[in-house]
Amino acid sequence: MKVIDMHCDTIGGLFHLKEEGKPQSLRHNSGHIDLERLGENHYLLQNFAMFIPLGSCGDPWEAVGAMYRYYLEELERNRDILAPVLRYEDIGRNEASGKISSLLTVEEGGVCKGELEKLGELYRMGVRMITLTWNFDNEIGHPNFDGFLRERLEEAGERLRKCTPGTEGWEQQRLAVQTARDACMHTPNVTGGLTPRGREFVEEMERLGIIPDVSHLSDAGFLDVLEVTRKPFVASHSNARAVCPNVRNLTDDMIRKLADRGGVTGLNFCPDFLEEKPVGQENPGTIAAVVRHAEHIARVGGVEVLGLGSDFDGIPTHAQLPGAQGMERLWEALHEAGFSEGELDKIFYGNVLRVYRDTLG
């Protein structure tokens, strides 16, 4: 078994812990991912995202620069077991030398502040994938989640947690949360796609060798990326909307179009993106729900469109997949569900490796 994971938020989490005076290391920490567990669980490559939340980080370009410097420090500390990927050939070279490959990504294209020349700077820093938006509009395009609606949903959820279950006040607040969830989680943005500058950005990304990532992007934006690009692109951490109706997931039509382009979508282990529970009910996460998404995506787009995008260290802990140590358990569950070993090789690393071969140069 080999593993490639297209998305985690580990670097950002560790960076912020250091800023708070509670440092932990990439080699060993209490989060979902560390290098010791990656090595023990046969990881060939881990994508490490620099997630920059617009609106709460000051200057986003300065913020990504600070996080990048932290990433370089961790690369240097762990150079005996971790090596960066700048070109496709680096992956095989790193594996041959017994090292885990690290592919640096940015989650939030707004860090560039609409300035095309900053893409070249990110490329020189080693960034090889950019999630075009997070949950707020930026100069590139529009997300499916409305960030302000999400904030209202979180506020309503907090009020619900303070109520006593079964009381009249609890029921009223539960209905308020349900209304907010429907507005935020179930209403895709089918009109606001890429901006004109966003189209230029995506064209320049493809020219440079930076993979466009459409996770978080609006439905309209997905179609715009499909129109603008010629090479494969990815949804690094998105599931199937037909299985779980959250707008962070892909429609069947998107899955087919992504497959036709030779792209990949990475199974996201966030419990709320795998299975929707009634408001007020806990959602710890199950492997069975991951399997349902894998089966559906493979049935709709073929097994070649399916990969892994855990979203580890950016999501609540999944009860049955609590971190990198759960990959063998997921392999076994998918095998028991009928996926052959050859198909699992494609899902766990082969499909993403093909995309990197076709895009990184």
Side-chain angles (χ1 to χ4, degrees):
M1 183 180 80
K2 298 179 185 178
V3 179
I4 295 179
D5 178 4
M6 283 196 290
H7 187 82
C8 77
D9 287 296
T10 307
I11 288 295
L14 292 173
F15 171 77
H16 292 301
L17 284 173
K18 180 185 177 183
E19 293 288 290
E20 295 165 7
K22 308 171 187 175
Q24 297 191 36
S25 71
L26 183 58
R27 185 175 293 252
H28 178 80
N29 62 62
S30 60
H32 298 156
I33 280 178
D34 59 35
L35 298 181
E36 290 180 357
R37 279 176 285 168
L38 296 188
E40 292 166 357
N41 291 275
H42 315 291
Y43 274 67
L44 176 65
L45 184 153
Q46 177 65 56
N47 282 17
F48 287 105
M50 298 189 292
F51 166 55
I52 306 298
L54 295 184
S56 60
C57 66
D59 185 313
W61 183 250
E62 292 181 1
V64 81
M67 197 174 293
Y68 172 66
R69 289 188 290 275
Y70 173 77
Y71 171 76
L72 289 182
E73 292 172 4
E74 286 292 348
L75 272 181
E76 177 61 24
R77 288 190 193 101
N78 297 287
R79 60 183 179 178
D80 58 320
I81 55 174
L82 185 70
V85 171
L86 303 179
R87 300 179 61 84
Y88 172 73
E89 292 78 9
D90 293 337
I91 301 171
R93 188 177 301 114
N94 294 341
E95 183 181 20
S97 63
K99 296 182 180 181
I100 302 164
S101 283
S102 171
L103 191 141
L104 185 63
T105 79
V106 168
E107 185 174 29
E108 178 50 85
V111 302
C112 293
K113 302 191 290 188
E115 300 171 20
L116 274 172
E117 60 271 19
K118 284 186 164 54
L119 280 176
E121 294 185 49
L122 289 176
Y123 183 84
R124 287 187 290 275
M125 291 159 63
V127 172
R128 293 298 182 265
M129 182 184 294
I130 296 178
T131 312
L132 300 175
T133 68
W134 189 58
N135 293 336
F136 294 93
D137 294 343
N138 63 28
E139 297 85 357
I140 295 173
H142 307 277
N144 251 354
F145 271 168
D146 182 300
F148 298 103
L149 287 178
R150 178 170 177 160
E151 288 176 359
R152 286 199 283 272
L153 173 60
E154 290 172 350
E155 291 167 359
E158 184 60 30
R159 290 194 295 269
L160 177 64
R161 283 187 286 275
K162 294 178 180 178
C163 294
T164 302
T167 64
E168 182 178 350
W170 183 87
E171 180 59 25
Q172 290 176 345
Q173 194 57 44
R174 188 190 69 80
L175 291 174
V177 173
Q178 181 68 62
T179 300
R181 185 168 79 172
D182 288 344
C184 178
M185 305 292 190
H186 300 157
T187 308
N189 184 346
V190 297
T191 57
L194 294 180
T195 65
R197 176 51 59 91
R199 287 173 171 266
E200 294 176 14
F201 258 79
V202 172
E203 289 176 349
E204 179 66 4
M205 286 169 63
E206 188 168 77
R207 187 191 71 80
L208 287 169
I210 300 176
I211 303 167
D213 176 11
V214 298
S215 285
H216 290 280
L217 189 64
S218 66
D219 284 18
F222 177 98
L223 295 176
D224 288 342
V225 171
L226 188 73
E227 179 182 331
V228 169
T229 56
R230 295 295 175 265
K231 296 179 181 179
F233 59 92
V234 303
S236 70
H237 53 302
S238 296
N239 298 323
R241 204 177 301 174
V243 179
C244 178
N246 196 299
V247 294
R248 270 287 286 106
N249 294 332
L250 303 180
T251 66
D252 285 1
D253 184 58
M254 290 177 182
I255 292 168
R256 292 188 192 98
K257 285 181 167 62
L258 188 64
D260 289 344
R261 177 57 62 82
V264 173
T265 186
L267 291 167
N268 187 320
F269 301 158
C270 178
D272 287 342
F273 299 161
L274 290 167
E275 183 176 21
E276 197 166 86
K277 297 288 188 181
V279 171
Q281 183 175 327
E282 292 295 322
N283 189 7
T286 66
I287 290 180
V290 181
V291 171
R292 285 195 292 274
H293 281 271
E295 290 176 321
H296 182 84
I297 292 168
R299 185 164 55 249
V300 170
V303 74
E304 289 77 13
V305 76
L306 192 53
L308 302 178
S310 67
D311 210 358
F312 279 148
D313 291 314
I315 57 172
T317 299
H318 187 290
Q320 295 183 346
L321 293 171
Q325 66 272 24
M327 291 303 98
E328 188 169 344
R329 190 175 182 189
L330 177 60
W331 173 287
E332 292 170 353
L334 289 167
H335 196 209
E336 290 174 3
F339 287 93
S340 69
E341 290 191 6
E343 290 172 330
L344 290 173
D345 282 339
K346 291 181 179 181
I347 295 167
F348 274 68
Y349 75 96
N351 292 335
V352 177
L353 204 57
R354 182 197 72 239
V355 171
Y356 291 174
R357 181 199 66 203
D358 293 345
T359 55
L360 297 182

